[in-house]
Amino acid sequence: MDMIKYDAETGEKLTRDIRNITVTYQGHKKTFLMPGWYPANSDEGTFTDEDMKVYDRALNQVKAEAENLLLPDDIRSIRKKLKLTQVQAGTILGGGKKAFQKYESGEILPSRAISNLLKILSLEPSLLKSL
């Protein structure tokens, strides 16, 4: 059954849709598909918590690019190269048991320290033994 929603301010009918949205951070831009409830003639939508997770991940990606932090796929690749599970990586490298799950899903950004440590370990995996 389709749910009908209306804009709280204008009373206009909203339709569930996915639209291109662009986020900008320090001169870096990313356009992505944003799910939400939209009025017919505007991209000013109403968003659920799940919709906002899509937005937050896109914003985190553009922030990572602007600040030269590792992206989720890079983090996953380096962790696997080091032959660590997500829990092991979080325990050994820092951040806790769920940190790498969140880094690799794009839910949160790694700190500059974690990002730099992973870059170094990617170049010299044998250094992991000294941690």
Side-chain angles (χ1 to χ4, degrees):
M1 181 175 152
D2 288 339
M3 187 174 8
I4 298 175
K5 287 193 178 240
Y6 296 91
D7 186 284
E9 291 180 22
T10 66
E12 187 175 357
K13 184 179 176 182
L14 303 175
T15 304
R16 188 74 181 157
D17 199 3
I18 298 174
R19 303 212 181 152
N20 281 325
I21 301 289
T22 301
V23 292
T24 304
Y25 179 80
Q26 293 183 353
H28 292 256
K29 291 183 180 183
K30 177 171 180 60
T31 300
F32 63 100
L33 294 173
M34 181 69 187
W37 292 90
Y38 294 93
N41 299 316
S42 172
D43 284 336
E44 295 293 321
T46 300
F47 307 106
T48 65
D49 289 344
E50 287 301 310
D51 296 338
M52 290 308 298
K53 287 179 184 179
V54 173
Y55 179 87
D56 291 343
R57 283 186 174 97
L59 182 58
N60 280 344
Q61 185 175 359
V62 79
K63 282 181 176 181
E65 290 169 0
E67 296 180 15
N68 197 27
L69 300 175
L70 290 173
L71 295 172
D73 289 344
D74 299 322
I75 294 170
R76 181 179 300 106
S77 175
I78 293 169
R79 177 185 58 77
K80 287 183 175 187
K81 179 179 180 179
L82 297 171
K83 296 179 173 52
L84 296 173
T85 66
Q86 289 178 333
V87 171
Q88 288 170 328
T91 302
I92 295 168
L93 304 177
K97 292 180 180 181
K98 300 242 180 209
F100 276 75
Q101 174 191 351
K102 292 178 180 181
Y103 299 151
E104 292 176 20
S105 71
E107 185 177 335
I108 62 171
L109 288 174
S111 66
R112 179 161 316 283
I114 289 288
S115 192
N116 287 342
L117 177 59
L118 287 169
K119 288 175 185 178
I120 290 168
L121 289 172
S122 178
L123 296 172
E124 286 293 334
S126 63
L127 292 174
L128 183 62
K129 294 174 188 167
S130 63
L131 297 178

